[in-house]
Amino acid sequence: GLGFNIVGGTDQQYISNDSSIYVSRIKKDGAAYLDGRLQEGDKILAVNGKDLKDLRHKDAVELFMNAGYNVSLKIQRRLQPQNGPVGHQGDGDSGGLPLAAILVPGLALAVTAVWILLRYRQRM
């Protein structure tokens, strides 16, 4: 297969009032995964030039099954995931400075201040 699953169609709408075909899952190590361009949530507009508008789910599946070895997809990328907070990047990065970037220079400054104070006291 092509290495991905689809949802949608006129008979199985994935999004309310939208009968488009969407990529629901990309199978690890499948053709789509290895190619790297297709993403989960992408809307598939056409397969090998054949428009997917107003197709039943099973007819869309049949088009993919008969697409051949070299497959051309026309897609529309979804800008943000269907679920989850707006602006969530999903990589665990808060976008701020790491704690070490603040603590290390502060600690170095404190050690230097103590060293200067001790040297100053020895001279008195």
Coordinates of all heavy atoms in Angstrom, one line a residue, residues 21 44-55 59-60 62-64 66-67 71-74:
I21 N -11.6 14.0 1.8 CA -10.8 12.9 2.2 C -9.6 13.4 2.9 O -8.9 14.3 2.4 CB -10.4 12.0 1.0 CG1 -11.6 11.6 0.2 CG2 -9.5 10.9 1.5 CD1 -12.6 10.6 0.9
I44 N -6.7 15.5 1.1 CA -6.3 15.0 -0.2 C -7.3 15.5 -1.2 O -8.5 15.1 -1.2 CB -6.1 13.5 -0.3 CG1 -5.1 13.1 0.8 CG2 -5.6 13.1 -1.7 CD1 -4.9 11.6 0.9
L45 N -6.9 16.3 -2.2 CA -7.8 16.9 -3.1 C -7.9 16.0 -4.4 O -8.9 16.0 -5.1 CB -7.3 18.3 -3.5 CG -7.2 19.3 -2.3 CD1 -6.6 20.6 -2.8 CD2 -8.5 19.5 -1.6
A46 N -6.8 15.4 -4.8 CA -6.7 14.6 -6.0 C -5.7 13.5 -5.9 O -4.7 13.7 -5.3 CB -6.5 15.5 -7.2
V47 N -5.9 12.4 -6.7 CA -5.0 11.3 -6.8 C -4.7 11.1 -8.3 O -5.7 10.9 -9.0 CB -5.5 10.0 -6.2 CG1 -4.6 8.9 -6.3 CG2 -5.9 10.2 -4.7
N48 N -3.5 11.3 -8.7 CA -3.1 11.1 -10.1 C -4.0 12.0 -11.0 O -4.4 11.5 -12.1 CB -3.1 9.7 -10.5 CG -2.0 8.9 -9.9 OD1 -1.0 9.4 -9.4 ND2 -2.2 7.6 -9.8
G49 N -4.3 13.2 -10.6 CA -5.1 14.1 -11.3 C -6.6 13.9 -11.2 O -7.4 14.7 -11.7
K50 N -7.1 12.8 -10.5 CA -8.5 12.5 -10.3 C -9.0 13.2 -9.1 O -8.5 12.9 -8.0 CB -8.7 11.0 -10.3 CG -10.1 10.6 -9.9 CD -11.1 10.8 -11.0 CE -12.4 10.1 -10.6 NZ -13.6 10.8 -11.0
D51 N -9.9 14.1 -9.2 CA -10.5 14.9 -8.1 C -11.3 14.0 -7.2 O -12.0 13.1 -7.6 CB -11.5 15.9 -8.7 CG -11.9 17.0 -7.7 OD1 -11.4 17.0 -6.6 OD2 -12.8 17.8 -8.1
L52 N -11.1 14.2 -5.9 CA -11.7 13.3 -4.9 C -13.0 14.0 -4.3 O -13.6 13.4 -3.4 CB -10.8 13.1 -3.7 CG -9.5 12.3 -4.0 CD1 -8.7 12.0 -2.7 CD2 -9.9 10.9 -4.6
K53 N -13.4 15.1 -4.9 CA -14.6 15.8 -4.4 C -15.8 14.9 -4.6 O -16.0 14.3 -5.7 CB -14.7 17.1 -5.1 CG -15.8 18.0 -4.5 CD -15.8 19.4 -5.2 CE -16.9 20.2 -4.5 NZ -16.8 21.6 -4.9
D54 N -16.7 14.9 -3.6 CA -18.0 14.2 -3.7 C -17.9 12.7 -3.9 O -18.7 12.1 -4.6 CB -18.9 14.9 -4.7 CG -19.2 16.3 -4.3 OD1 -19.3 16.6 -3.1 OD2 -19.3 17.1 -5.3
L55 N -16.9 12.1 -3.4 CA -16.8 10.6 -3.5 C -17.2 9.9 -2.2 O -16.9 10.5 -1.1 CB -15.3 10.2 -3.8 CG -14.8 10.4 -5.2 CD1 -13.3 9.9 -5.3 CD2 -15.6 9.7 -6.2
D59 N -15.1 4.5 -2.6 CA -14.7 4.9 -3.9 C -13.3 5.5 -3.9 O -12.5 5.3 -4.7 CB -15.7 5.8 -4.6 CG -17.0 5.1 -4.9 OD1 -17.0 3.8 -5.1 OD2 -18.1 5.7 -4.9
A60 N -13.1 6.3 -2.8 CA -11.8 7.0 -2.6 C -10.7 5.9 -2.3 O -9.6 5.9 -2.9 CB -11.8 8.0 -1.5
E62 N -10.8 2.8 -3.3 CA -10.5 2.1 -4.5 C -9.6 2.9 -5.4 O -8.7 2.3 -6.1 CB -11.8 1.8 -5.2 CG -11.7 0.9 -6.4 CD -13.0 0.6 -7.1 OE1 -14.0 0.3 -6.3 OE2 -13.1 0.6 -8.3
L63 N -9.7 4.2 -5.5 CA -8.8 5.0 -6.3 C -7.4 4.9 -5.8 O -6.4 4.8 -6.6 CB -9.2 6.5 -6.2 CG -10.1 7.0 -7.2 CD1 -10.5 8.5 -7.0 CD2 -9.6 6.9 -8.6
F64 N -7.2 4.9 -4.5 CA -5.8 4.7 -3.9 C -5.3 3.3 -4.2 O -4.1 3.2 -4.5 CB -5.8 5.0 -2.4 CG -5.9 6.5 -2.1 CD1 -7.1 7.0 -1.6 CD2 -4.8 7.3 -2.2 CE1 -7.2 8.3 -1.3 CE2 -4.9 8.6 -1.9 CZ -6.0 9.2 -1.4
N66 N -5.8 1.5 -6.7 CA -5.5 1.3 -8.1 C -4.6 2.4 -8.6 O -4.5 2.6 -9.8 CB -6.8 1.3 -8.9 CG -7.7 0.1 -8.6 OD1 -7.1 -1.0 -8.4 ND2 -9.0 0.3 -8.5
A67 N -4.0 3.2 -7.7 CA -3.2 4.3 -8.1 C -1.9 4.0 -8.8 O -1.3 4.8 -9.6 CB -2.9 5.2 -6.9
V71 N 2.6 7.6 -7.5 CA 1.3 8.3 -7.2 C 1.6 9.8 -7.0 O 2.5 10.2 -6.3 CB 0.8 7.7 -5.9 CG1 -0.5 8.3 -5.5 CG2 0.6 6.2 -6.1
S72 N 0.7 10.5 -7.6 CA 0.8 12.0 -7.5 C -0.5 12.4 -6.7 O -1.6 12.1 -7.0 CB 0.7 12.7 -8.8 OG 0.6 14.1 -8.7
L73 N -0.2 13.1 -5.5 CA -1.3 13.6 -4.7 C -1.3 15.1 -4.7 O -0.3 15.7 -4.6 CB -1.1 13.1 -3.2 CG -1.0 11.6 -3.0 CD1 -0.8 11.4 -1.5 CD2 -2.3 11.0 -3.4
K74 N -2.5 15.6 -4.8 CA -2.7 17.1 -4.6 C -3.3 17.2 -3.2 O -4.4 16.6 -3.0 CB -3.6 17.7 -5.7 CG -3.8 19.2 -5.5 CD -4.7 19.7 -6.7 CE -4.9 21.2 -6.5 NZ -5.8 21.7 -7.6

